[in-house]
Amino acid sequence: MTLLSGVGLGLRREMLASVSQEKSAVIDFFEVAPENWLPFGGALGKQFRALTERYAFACHGLSLSLGSPDPLDLDFVKAVKQFLQQHQIKLYSEHLSYCSAGGHLYDLMPIPFTLAAARYTAERIMQVQDILGQQLVVENVSYYAAPGQEMSELDFTLEVLQQADCALLLDVNNVYVNSVNHGYNAREFIAALPSERIVYGHIAGHYTEHESLLIDTHGSAVCDPVWQLLQHAYDCHGVFATVLERDFNLPPMPELEAELWQIKACQQRAGQ
């Protein structure tokens, strides 16, 4: 399932004025959280529609809560399906985590790394896929504790991918953050992922709380070790479409574009 190519940018409403003026030379597609755009019509809705007519888009969800003990919000899934159809968006990704348990938690909580949890999550993913009529893409997430862990993060991820027959959004920064925080080899983790499952990727900045504790913030520039890990991912799996995420401390657009050009340079080196 290769529906995107090149370099993407996570779209924030603050960027609309900059990206609406003329087509970018470096941005091939945008990524949005459907939750942030579903409620809006009017002028904002028209601006968004104008962009979806000029660029390819992916949707990256925030609240599907795949590993939650709560029932799936089927009305929300159906609303997302309508949104995808309205804007002709072919890719919908979500976090391999959960954010609700008797109420919304407003955070991405780690699913216990157990075989039972992998099977439970895979069943929910398949239910979503049946409603959407398309394959769901799940993202490896950053986490800071692993309650009830019986298997590795890698084995848990592979189990979910296989059982649900879903695709993978490879977040390179999350692999790096987790490798530092939990003491594993990031290059080996990436190399062990199934190439055929990787649909697209993420890259972002993080905050160094301590040399052994990184916080996944999306609030700073991408650091050199993460750039190197992205190049390694391309070398292992071939070039895949990659999104730059920046959620706050937004710099001027030329600074973001410089990082986007750096992604493109990595892709070109891997393609040589």
Side-chain angles (χ1 to χ4, degrees), residues 1-265:
M1 184 176 65
T2 304
L3 300 174
L4 292 175
S5 62
V7 176
L9 178 64
L11 182 65
R12 306 291 174 259
R13 286 199 293 274
E14 299 92 327
M15 301 174 183
L16 274 177
S18 299
V19 301
S20 297
Q21 295 172 0
E22 59 184 42
K23 202 165 191 320
S24 169
V26 66
I27 300 172
D28 299 304
F29 67 95
F30 287 104
E31 180 190 73
V32 293
E35 293 89 339
N36 292 339
W37 296 91
L38 273 167
F40 294 107
L44 191 59
K46 289 179 181 178
Q47 279 184 288
F48 182 69
R49 181 62 180 171
L51 277 179
T52 63
E53 291 174 348
R54 294 166 58 201
Y55 289 91
F57 267 74
C59 275
H60 184 50
L62 301 170
S63 57
L64 193 52
S65 203
L66 289 170
S68 172
D70 294 344
L72 282 168
D73 186 342
L74 300 184
D75 289 337
F76 170 71
V77 177
K78 292 172 183 175
V80 169
K81 179 179 182 178
Q82 184 177 6
F83 182 82
L84 297 175
Q85 292 174 339
Q86 177 186 357
H87 295 286
Q88 297 182 312
I89 299 172
K90 304 299 184 185
L91 282 181
Y92 175 42
S93 62
E94 250 292 356
H95 301 83
L96 193 52
S97 62
Y98 72 100
C99 58
S100 60
H104 206 286
L105 302 174
Y106 298 101
D107 205 352
L108 297 174
M109 306 297 291
I111 302 171
F113 295 149
T114 68
L115 186 58
R119 289 172 176 164
Y120 172 79
T121 304
E123 289 172 359
R124 288 163 66 91
I125 291 171
M126 288 187 286
Q127 187 178 359
V128 172
Q129 291 179 147
D130 286 343
I131 295 171
L132 294 178
Q134 68 186 59
Q135 198 173 35
L136 187 65
V137 187
V138 296
E139 179 195 31
N140 59 292
V141 298
S142 57
Y143 62 98
Y144 305 96
Q149 182 170 2
E150 297 175 2
M151 55 201 303
S152 69
E153 176 193 353
L154 176 61
D155 288 342
F156 176 82
T157 303
L158 294 175
E159 187 71 26
V160 171
L161 292 173
Q162 180 179 356
Q163 290 203 27
D165 191 22
C166 59
L168 175 65
L169 163 53
L170 171 53
D171 191 309
V172 174
N173 181 64
N174 286 351
V175 174
Y176 180 74
V177 166
N178 291 346
S179 72
V180 172
N181 291 346
H182 303 289
Y184 65 72
N185 187 301
R187 296 172 71 87
E188 291 178 359
F189 183 101
I190 284 178
L193 294 171
S195 300
E196 69 278 5
R197 297 280 182 186
I198 300 172
V199 173
Y200 73 113
H202 277 172
I203 193 166
H206 55 259
Y207 175 72
T208 302
E209 179 74 30
H210 183 269
E211 63 181 12
S212 61
L213 178 59
L214 306 182
I215 308 297
D216 178 34
T217 59
H218 302 175
S220 59
V222 180
C223 68
D224 286 343
V226 175
W227 285 120
Q228 293 164 15
L229 200 57
L230 177 65
Q231 192 72 63
H232 173 68
Y234 291 154
D235 292 341
C236 288
H237 302 292
V239 173
F240 47 83
T242 303
V243 173
L244 174 67
E245 294 185 294
R246 188 68 177 261
D247 292 343
F248 68 98
N249 291 334
L250 292 175
M253 186 57 64
E255 290 186 31
L256 289 176
E257 289 184 337
E259 289 195 293
L260 294 171
W261 282 115
Q262 196 163 346
I263 296 173
K264 196 170 286 285

